[in-house]
Amino acid sequence: MVNHMVNYLQLDSVFSALADPTRRGVLERLSHGEATITELAQPYDKSLPAFLKHVRVLEKAGLVKRRKDGRTNYLCLQPDPLQNAHDWLAEHREMWEVQFDNLAQYLDATDDSPEPTPQDDEDNSDADITP
Amino acid sequence: MPISPPDLGTSFTLDRTFNASAERVFRAWTEAEALEAWFQPMGNRIIVRQLDVRLGGSYHFDLAVSPTETHTIVGQYIEIQRPEKLVFTWASPATNNEDTIVTVLFAEANGKTQVTLTQEKLMSEEILTAHKIGWESVIDRIADVIAQES
């Protein structure tokens, strides 16, 4: 259950990260491969601090990973969080599958409908009271 | 190998055939005593606090997930066609307490009942839109790059 919550919270941050055009642009660029933050910031008419805010949102969502080489910061794409989104749906499905198992057991255990027993019609003729 | 975005559908459907009449299966879904006996969404039995199976009626289930923590599942009945169909909203900590829609269909044939369950709206529309425009464009780019390299 705790997993459900964690996944959902992470999902939320993933989707709010994807909701912004600058951040989507960064992800697109990173789909070509690793890039430095300076390279990534170049196409945007933004101050570096403003651009770094976007980077932090992506990092927080777990969509990108930062690597430091000397004084240079590299970013690369990290698509794992979207796998969690898929898992989250699968967990709901599994929950209901288990409930179906429980329901089948319950229905078997509480089945009090009479078994269809074959009627012995010949016995009835014996019981026939005829004058 | 084709690259496609992870499937982030908002719903799923599953079905199972039970060895019981639709009436019996429907009762199992709509009577407190029965629900408390079989329904164990987190491995624990629920306590039915409220169960008003009428159009617009509410239900409220509590379940103890630990000695100190209780989860609450709540919803409202949107459609009731005894014993063929039951539609209700469903919100729990597992859905981040957001409403999802659960549709349960009961189809009886030869003394057995096929139950089909669909849970919908597992993610909000804006989330899905963001996913679609955001992630798919990323995947398209990756696919393009790979196509150029090969």
Side-chain angles (χ1 to χ4, degrees):
Chain A
M1 253 348 276
V2 171
N3 275 343
H4 282 134
M5 298 292 291
V6 169
N7 286 349
Y8 195 90
L9 292 176
Q10 189 177 12
L11 257 191
D12 227 23
S13 66
V14 167
F15 292 118
S16 35
L18 290 172
D20 177 88
T22 301
R23 296 195 287 268
R24 286 201 301 273
V26 169
L27 290 174
E28 276 185 66
R29 168 64 188 83
L30 289 176
S31 71
H32 297 282
E34 198 177 59
T36 67
I37 288 181
T38 318
E39 284 166 355
L40 289 167
Q42 213 186 359
Y44 302 101
D45 188 21
K46 282 180 170 39
S47 68
L48 192 62
F51 184 77
L52 283 172
K53 266 187 200 164
H54 287 297
V55 171
R56 274 195 289 274
V57 172
L58 290 169
E59 280 181 305
K60 221 171 162 184
L63 285 164
V64 301
K65 216 166 121 184
R66 197 191 290 229
R67 180 174 73 84
K68 249 189 145 148
D69 186 4
R71 294 186 58 192
T72 313
N73 281 289
Y74 292 90
L75 286 183
C76 65
L77 199 59
Q78 202 72 7
D80 297 359
L82 287 153
Q83 187 57 44
N84 283 349
H86 188 57
D87 294 347
W88 187 73
L89 203 65
E91 280 176 46
H92 278 269
R93 193 194 167 89
E94 256 165 54
M95 187 281 280
W96 286 111
E97 292 275 10
V98 173
Q99 297 324 300
F100 276 9
D101 294 343
N102 293 344
L103 178 57
Q105 275 177 27
Y106 167 81
L107 289 169
D108 285 347
T110 57
D111 188 3
D112 54 5
S113 61
E115 288 292 315
T117 46
Q119 283 293 314
D120 203 343
D121 284 331
E122 283 153 22
D123 280 351
N124 289 345
S125 57
D126 287 339
D128 225 330
I129 307 163
T130 41
Chain B
M1 200 172 99
I3 297 180
S4 57
D7 178 12
L8 281 192
T10 52
S11 68
F12 61 82
T13 297
L14 61 157
D15 65 84
R16 183 86 64 95
T17 300
F18 296 93
N19 202 5
S21 67
E23 181 59 35
R24 270 192 76 217
V25 184
F26 191 88
R27 280 211 311 268
W29 281 84
T30 51
E31 289 178 6
E33 205 186 321
L35 280 166
E36 286 183 346
W38 70 268
F39 194 59
Q40 301 171 33
M42 282 162 237
N44 292 323
R45 293 186 178 199
I46 55 162
I47 298 164
V48 176
R49 299 289 183 202
Q50 191 185 2
L51 185 67
D52 184 10
V53 189
R54 287 182 303 176
L55 201 61
S58 302
Y59 67 84
H60 175 159
F61 307 150
D62 276 343
L63 69 163
V65 291
S66 78
T68 54
E69 198 186 353
T70 299
H71 280 185
T72 297
I73 300 168
V74 291
Q76 273 198 333
Y77 292 96
I78 300 169
E79 193 180 338
I80 301 158
Q81 284 176 44
R82 185 185 191 104
E84 286 124 32
K85 189 176 183 183
L86 201 55
V87 186
F88 48 90
T89 64
W90 168 281
S92 73
T95 68
N96 210 24
N97 298 313
E98 305 264 356
D99 272 349
T100 62
I101 309 284
V102 177
T103 301
V104 192
L105 301 173
F106 307 84
E108 186 176 332
N110 304 320
K112 291 175 192 280
T113 301
Q114 186 186 37
V115 174
T116 307
L117 182 142
T118 304
Q119 190 170 15
E120 294 168 276
K121 298 205 180 230
L122 275 159
M123 285 170 209
S124 67
E125 289 303 318
E126 60 263 46
I127 277 176
L128 271 178
T129 307
H131 166 71
K132 215 175 148 76
I133 55 181
W135 195 244
E136 286 187 356
S137 65
V138 171
I139 298 292
D140 285 349
R141 288 303 311 157
I142 297 173
D144 286 351
V145 170
I146 288 173
Q148 282 162 22
E149 281 172 354
S150 58

